[in-house]
């Protein structure tokens, strides 16, 4: 789903229309924040196969609570809190799941050899394991930056932390990932993903 970029005036108008029952306005609000919601849920819950389910629950919570949005903060901050709380609720008390690699089949990209496809998948899985080992706040900040494609300023606002703290989280996350990748197949990772 492509993320739309709305300014505060557009968002206020969409909220007003959505509260009046305009389904297209509500859908546009969700689309404009989808990447952030997904990144937050994934950052908190990790890759346990239930990210999509949690995101759907976040959508439902937003729909039900939108009338309570007072505008004291930016809409993205309010949505971030809902997404984070829903992800925390979903993982509360769950046990980690292990999915056998043979259950995660993936078709190779057009013109790609099965070996290259396997290497890329293994690199992606290794990155997921590394991300899961990061501190929750560092993981969330780095995912918002590189998966959610948010600016440092947007991340600071979404996470409700100072800009310097965002930079620190991302810097430390990169250092941790680099340390984890060294001696753990960094070359295989780079072949599949390039540099962070």
């Amino acid at each position: 789903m492509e993320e739309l970029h709305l300014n505060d005036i557009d968002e206020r108008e969409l909220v007003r229309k959505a509260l009046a029952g305009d389904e297209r306005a509500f859908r546009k609000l969700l689309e404009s924040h989808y990447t952030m919601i997904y990144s937050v849920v994934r950052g908190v819950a990790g890759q346990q196969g239930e990210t999509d389910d949690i995101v759907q629950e976040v959508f439902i919570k937003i729909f039900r609570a939108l009338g309570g949005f007072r505008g004291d903060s930016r809409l993205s901050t309010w949505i971030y809190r809902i997404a984070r709380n829903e992800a925390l609720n979903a993982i509360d008390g769950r046990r980690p799941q292990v999915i056998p690699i043979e259950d995660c089949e993936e078709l190779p990209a057009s013109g790609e050899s099965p070996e290259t496809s396997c290497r890329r998948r293994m690199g992606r899985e290794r990155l997921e394991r590394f991300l899961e080992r990061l501190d929750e706040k560092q993981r969330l900040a780095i995912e918002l930056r590189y998966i959610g494609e948010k600016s440092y300023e947007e991340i600071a606002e979404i996470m409700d932390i100072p800009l310097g703290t965002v930079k620190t989280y991302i810097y430390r996350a990169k250092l941790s990932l680099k340390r984890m990748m060294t001696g753990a197949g960094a070359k295989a990772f780079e072949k599949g993903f390039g540099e962070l």
Side-chain angles (χ1 to χ4, degrees):
M1 189 178 293
E2 185 180 326
E3 179 158 338
L4 305 170
H5 297 285
L6 302 172
N7 62 38
D8 291 337
I9 295 167
D10 292 338
E11 282 190 340
R12 281 196 294 271
E13 181 63 16
L14 284 176
V15 168
R16 188 188 64 70
K17 287 180 178 180
L19 289 173
D22 185 335
E23 290 179 31
R24 285 187 358 207
F26 183 70
R27 191 175 318 116
K28 194 169 184 180
L29 270 178
L30 292 182
E31 288 172 358
S32 70
H33 293 90
Y34 176 80
T35 303
M36 186 264 295
I37 293 168
Y38 189 86
S39 296
V40 168
V41 169
R42 187 168 161 224
V44 173
Q47 282 295 97
Q48 298 295 323
E50 56 187 291
T51 301
D52 291 335
D53 292 338
I54 299 170
V55 167
Q56 290 301 317
E57 288 300 317
V58 171
F59 289 172
I60 292 167
K61 287 271 166 92
I62 291 169
F63 178 76
R64 291 180 178 159
L66 192 58
F69 175 64
R70 297 182 314 241
D72 297 340
S73 63
R74 291 194 65 179
L75 184 63
S76 59
T77 303
W78 182 77
I79 289 174
Y80 161 79
R81 289 185 183 125
I82 291 174
R84 185 176 185 281
N85 289 339
E86 193 61 32
L88 287 171
N89 290 340
I91 65 169
D92 189 33
R94 82 167 181 211
R95 288 183 292 173
Q97 292 178 312
V98 177
I99 301 170
I101 194 163
E102 55 272 2
D103 291 347
C104 301
E105 292 181 24
E106 183 178 305
L107 293 174
S110 173
E112 185 177 71
S113 73
E115 293 82 12
T116 303
S117 175
C118 182
R119 239 181 280 129
R120 182 186 343 310
R121 186 182 71 233
M122 289 172 63
R124 195 166 42 246
E125 289 169 357
R126 182 173 290 121
L127 175 62
E128 294 297 338
R129 286 194 302 272
F130 293 156
L131 285 170
E132 287 177 6
R133 290 167 50 188
L134 290 175
D135 169 79
E136 177 192 324
K137 291 177 182 176
Q138 290 177 14
R139 181 174 66 226
L140 181 55
I142 204 161
E143 287 192 344
L144 285 171
R145 178 73 179 141
Y146 292 101
I147 297 170
E149 298 179 355
K150 298 291 184 190
S151 69
Y152 287 100
E153 292 78 12
E154 289 172 311
I155 297 168
E157 190 165 327
I158 288 167
M159 294 182 71
D160 196 26
I161 56 177
L163 182 61
T165 305
V166 170
K167 292 177 181 179
T168 300
Y169 284 163
I170 291 173
Y171 175 76
R172 288 182 181 165
K174 284 180 175 180
L175 276 181
S176 295
L177 287 171
K178 189 172 185 176
R179 277 190 217 113
M180 285 184 250
M181 287 186 284
T182 305
K187 287 183 182 173
F189 171 79
E190 287 171 4
K191 264 193 159 174
F193 294 96
E195 293 182 29
L196 278 177

